[in-house]
C-alpha cells in the first residue's frame, strides 16, 4: 500500500466497510437514461444488488468521459447541479434532474490525500454530467447517496490515468463505489441508426473483444497500451475520452478478483456498450 492509499484508508469522514465492487459502465446515448431499453433495465437491476449482494455505498465516486480538465479535480459542492451537456434531444431528457448530495467534507480529506498528482476541489464550475447521472439515476433513483465526480486531465498519457485509478483502490474498503462511465468503443462519426444492438462494424467488435480479453485475463495495466493497436484503436476511439474512465476502474480493481460483463451489445454499430463489474 502506497502513501496515498494509507491516507485514504485513514479517512475520518468514511467508515471501514466490506470491499465494494468497481464498475465500468458503458453509457452510450444520453437517451438510455430515460428510454425503457435493455441497457437501462440492466442498470436498474445492478442498482438493486446494493443493499443485498453488496452494502449500500456510503459514497459514489464517478469518473465520467464528459469532464475533461487541466489537472485533476473533485466536485466539492454540497448540492452539485445537474448538467445537460448535450443537444438535439427531446425536452424530457433536459427535464431530468439528479439531486444527489455532494460530500464537501469527504472531498476535503480526499484532496489532501493526493500529492502526485495533486487533485483540486471544484466548488463552483461543474456538477453531475450525463456520464454520471445518466447511469446512476436508473441505478439509484432515490438520489440519496452522496456523489462526487473526479475529472480527467486529458493532456496526460493513458498510463497516468490507470495509475490514478490504482491510488483510488483503498477507497473500496471505505464504502466507496468507484464508477467509470464511458464506452470501450465510441465513434459518433460512423454511427448508423438502422443497425440493431447485435450489429457492429468489424473495428468495433475487434477493439471491444481486445478489451474484454485483457480484462478477463487480468492484464489490466495493458489496457493503457490501446493506442498500439494503430488504426483499429483510431477508429474505435477517434478521441479517447470515453476510453479513459475504463482505466480508472481497472486501476482500482485487483487483477485476480472475479469479473463479469454485461450489456455486451452496441449502439449504432460504433458504440460498444460493454460494462464490467469487478468483485462480482
Amino acid at each position: 500500500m502506497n502513501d496515498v492509499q494509507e491516507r485514504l484508508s485513514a479517512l475520518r469522514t468514511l467508515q471501514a466497510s466490506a470491499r465494494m465492487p468497481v464498475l465500468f459502465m458503458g453509457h452510450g446515448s444520453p437517451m438510455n437514461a430515460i428510454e425503457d431499453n435493455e441497457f437501462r433495465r440492466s442498470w436498474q437491476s445492478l442498482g438493486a444488488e446494493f443493499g443485498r449482494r453488496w452494502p449500500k455505498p456510503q459514497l459514489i465516486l464517478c469518473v465520467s468521459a464528459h469532464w475533461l480538465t487541466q489537472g485533476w479535480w473533485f466536485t466539492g459542492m454540497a448540492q452539485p447541479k445537474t448538467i445537460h451537456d448535450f443537444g438535439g434531444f427531446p425536452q424530457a431528457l433536459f427535464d431530468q434532474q439528479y439531486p444527489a448530495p455532494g460530500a464537501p467534507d469527504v472531498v476535503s480529506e480526499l484532496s489532501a490525500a493526493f500529492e502526485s498528482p495533486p487533485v483540486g476541489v471544484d466548488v463552483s464550475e461543474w456538477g453531475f454530467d450525463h456520464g454520471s447521472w445518466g447511469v446512476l439515476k436508473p441505478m439509484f433513483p432515490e438520489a440519496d447517496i452522496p456523489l462526487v465526480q473526479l475529472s480527467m486531465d486529458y493532456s496526460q498519457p493513458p498510463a497516468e490515468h490507470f495509475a490514478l485509478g490504482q491510488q483510488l483502490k483503498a477507497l473500496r474498503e471505505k464504502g466507496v463505489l468507484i464508477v467509470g462511465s464511458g464506452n470501450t468503443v465510441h465513434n459518433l462519426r460512423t454511427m448508423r441508426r438502422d443497425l440493431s444492438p447485435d450489429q457492429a462494424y468489424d473495428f468495433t467488435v475487434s477493439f471491444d473483444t481486445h478489451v474484454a480479453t485483457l480484462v478477463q485475463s487480468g492484464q489490466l495495466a495493458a489496457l493503457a497500451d490501446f493506442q498500439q493497436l494503430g488504426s483499429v484503436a483510431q477508429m474505435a476511439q477517434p478521441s479517447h475520452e470515453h476510453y479513459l474512465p475504463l482505466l480508472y476502474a481497472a486501476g482500482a480493481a485487483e487483477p485476480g478478483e472475479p469479473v463479469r460483463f454485461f450489456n455486451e451489445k452496441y449502439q449504432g454499430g460504433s458504440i460498444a456498450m460493454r460494462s464490467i463489474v469487478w468483485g462480482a
Side-chain angles (χ1 to χ4, degrees), residues 198-270:
D198 296 311
Q199 296 177 294
Y201 294 102
D202 289 345
F203 72 80
T204 303
V205 175
S206 176
F207 191 85
D208 181 57
T209 300
H210 172 75
V211 169
T213 299
L214 292 179
V215 170
Q216 193 72 63
S217 61
Q219 299 178 72
L220 303 181
L223 290 167
D225 300 327
F226 69 98
Q227 291 165 316
Q228 295 179 7
L229 294 180
S231 60
V232 172
Q234 188 58 42
M235 287 297 293
Q237 294 285 346
S239 58
H240 54 268
E241 76 284 342
H242 275 74
Y243 185 84
L244 293 178
L246 170 64
L247 301 182
Y248 291 81
E254 296 288 352
E257 70 182 315
V259 61
R260 64 178 160 109
F261 300 125
F262 65 101
N263 285 349
E264 298 171 74
K265 295 193 176 182
Y266 315 98
Q267 288 194 302
S270 56

